[in-house]
Amino acid sequence: MKNNPQSLLKDELIKKLHQNSVSCTSMIVTLFGDVVSQHGEWIWLGSIVDALAPLGFNERSVRTSVFRLVQNDWLTTKKIGRKSYYCFTEHGRSQSERAERRIYSKSDVTWNGLWVLVLNASINEEKVDGFRKNMRWLGFNILSTGLFAHPSPDRRSLDEMLIENNLVSNVAVFKASSDDVSSKSTLKTLITEKWEVPKLELMYQSFLDNFRDFALHTDVNQLSDTDCFAFRLAILHEFRRIQLKDPDLPPELLPIGWAGFESQDLLQRVYKQMIPGSVSFIEKHLFNAHGGMPSPSSNFYQRFNSAVN
C-alpha cells in the first residue's frame, strides 16, 4: 500500500513543529501577520481554530493562546451575537509590520561602512529593560554600558520604536565609521562574538536541513489547498523565528557562503509555489463577520520584492 503524499506532508510538518517546540501563541501571531492582515484584518475565532488544526494545534490551546494575546495587547476582540472576532491591536500591527519589513523586503543596498550608535542618555530605570529588549529585537547590540550599535539598521523601525515608547528625548543617535585596518579586524571579531554569528548560522542551516529536500521533492500539484496553506504557514513561521533573532548584518560582515541567503531564497521559492492553493483555502474555509475572508490586498503581491504574483 502506497503512502499518501498529502498525509506524509502533514505528518512531517507537525513533527517538525513539535521538534522545535513551536508555541501556539507565536503561531497565531504568524497567522495574523502573514494571513489575516492581508485578508480584511478580522477573523472569526472558529477560523483560527480551523487554520491551525492542520498543524496539530487543538481548540483548547488556540483559545488559551488567543486569550493570552488579548491580555498582552496583541489582539483586540469584538462579539457579534455569540461569535467572537479578532484583529491586531495598534501595538500588534506595528510589531508585525516591522517583522514583515525584515522577512518580505530584503534590502539590496550596499553598506556604506557607517555604524549607527544609540546612547542611553537618560532613560528611566523602569523603562531600561524594555528599551534593551526592543534594541535587541532591532538587531542592535551593546558595545559598552548604555551604548548600542548596528552597522545597517532599519532606521524607520528604530525611529518608530523610540517614538512609541516616548524615548526620543532620552537617547542620542549618531553615526560612526572606522577607516583603520586593525580596527576593522577587531570589529569583525567583535561582531562574530557579540551577535553570535556562528549560532545564528546553525539555525539557518537547520532550517535548510528541515525544508530544502522536502521542498525539492514535493509535487505541488499533488497537494490539497489545506496542505498548501499548512506548508506556507509552517515554513514562514520557522523562518520568522530565526529572522527575528537575526541582526540583519551587511554581507560584508558575514562569513562567506552565509546560510541565511540560501534560506531566504528557499522561503521565497516555496512561498510563491504555495500561494494559489493557500489563498484558495483561506477564501473558502476561513471567515470573518461578513462571510468568507476577502481576496488578499494589493500589498500582498509586493512581498519578496514582487516575487509573488
Side-chain angles (χ1 to χ4, degrees):
M1 179 177 177
K2 292 184 178 180
N3 290 321
N4 185 326
Q6 296 179 9
S7 297
L8 289 175
L9 170 65
K10 190 174 296 184
D11 292 344
E12 189 70 13
L13 283 171
I14 293 173
K15 179 181 177 181
K16 291 181 188 300
L17 291 172
H18 285 301
Q19 286 176 341
N20 292 330
S21 302
V22 173
S23 75
C24 185
T25 302
S26 64
M27 183 61 78
I28 291 174
V29 172
T30 297
L31 173 69
F32 272 81
D34 187 57
V35 175
V36 182
S37 67
Q38 303 301 307
H39 291 264
E41 298 191 346
W42 286 89
I43 188 171
W44 172 45
L45 175 60
S47 287
I48 301 176
V49 174
D50 292 341
L52 298 192
L55 295 172
F57 296 101
N58 59 40
E59 181 175 354
R60 180 179 178 182
S61 62
V62 169
R63 287 180 176 272
T64 300
S65 297
V66 166
F67 175 78
R68 184 178 297 120
L69 287 166
V70 171
Q71 294 297 106
N72 292 334
D73 193 33
W74 274 84
L75 297 180
T76 186
T77 180
K78 65 179 177 182
K79 288 188 72 72
I80 300 178
R82 300 181 62 182
K83 292 185 176 182
S84 297
Y85 301 87
Y86 292 86
C87 175
F88 266 141
T89 60
E90 285 301 317
H91 165 74
R93 183 178 293 107
S94 64
Q95 291 289 87
S96 178
E97 286 175 352
R98 287 173 201 153
E100 286 178 19
R101 290 199 290 267
R102 299 184 62 178
I103 295 170
Y104 305 112
S105 304
K106 278 295 184 182
S107 174
D108 295 325
V109 178
T110 302
W111 183 46
N112 60 10
L114 294 177
W115 287 69
V116 172
L117 306 180
V118 180
L119 176 65
N120 172 7
S122 59
I123 298 177
N124 293 333
E125 193 63 35
E126 63 269 18
K127 289 187 175 182
V128 169
D129 285 344
F131 170 70
R132 289 173 180 164
K133 181 179 180 180
N134 284 324
M135 293 299 287
R136 292 276 191 176
W137 190 88
L138 292 172
F140 282 80
N141 216 313
I142 298 175
L143 291 189
S144 62
T145 304
L147 182 64
F148 292 78
H150 194 293
S152 58
D154 178 351
R155 280 304 304 269
R156 177 180 170 185
S157 292
L158 173 62
D159 293 341
E160 287 174 351
M161 185 276 289
L162 294 174
I163 292 170
E164 289 171 9
N165 291 278
N166 297 314
L167 297 174
V168 175
S169 61
N170 302 116
V171 302
V173 181
F174 47 98
K175 294 181 180 180
S177 64
S178 176
D179 297 323
D180 183 74
V181 176
S182 60
S183 293
K184 288 182 178 179
S185 176
T186 301
L187 282 172
K188 194 158 188 176
T189 300
L190 183 67
I191 286 170
T192 300
E193 296 174 354
K194 284 277 188 178
W195 276 265
E196 299 183 313
V197 172
K199 180 179 179 181
L200 185 63
E201 180 146 43
L202 286 176
M203 295 173 69
Y204 277 124
Q205 192 59 57
S206 177
F207 174 86
L208 291 171
D209 291 342
N210 285 336
F211 290 102
R212 184 200 288 122
D213 289 342
F214 194 53
L216 286 174
H217 298 298
T218 297
D219 184 354
V220 178
N221 296 320
Q222 297 298 314
L223 302 180
S224 67
D225 291 349
T226 301
D227 288 329
C228 285
F229 175 81
F231 194 16
R232 165 185 158 184
L233 201 62
I235 193 171
L236 189 283
H237 183 77
E238 286 302 291
F239 184 84
R240 175 180 176 272
R241 281 173 27 132
I242 304 171
Q243 179 63 204
L244 294 182
K245 297 176 183 177
D246 187 341
D248 201 18
L249 299 169
E252 296 89 338
L253 300 177
L254 293 170
I256 296 173
W258 179 242
F261 299 145
E262 185 180 351
S263 297
Q264 178 80 16
D265 290 342
L266 175 63
L267 173 67
Q268 290 187 26
R269 187 167 63 252
V270 172
Y271 195 96
K272 183 176 181 179
Q273 291 175 333
M274 298 298 152
I275 288 300
S278 63
V279 169
S280 177
F281 171 85
I282 293 163
E283 294 178 352
K284 291 178 181 178
H285 300 288
L286 304 184
F287 300 88
N288 59 25
H290 302 291
M293 300 283 277
S295 298
S297 68
S298 58
N299 292 334
F300 177 76
Y301 295 103
Q302 301 305 313
R303 286 178 166 176
F304 298 119
N305 297 320
S306 299
V308 179
N309 42 53

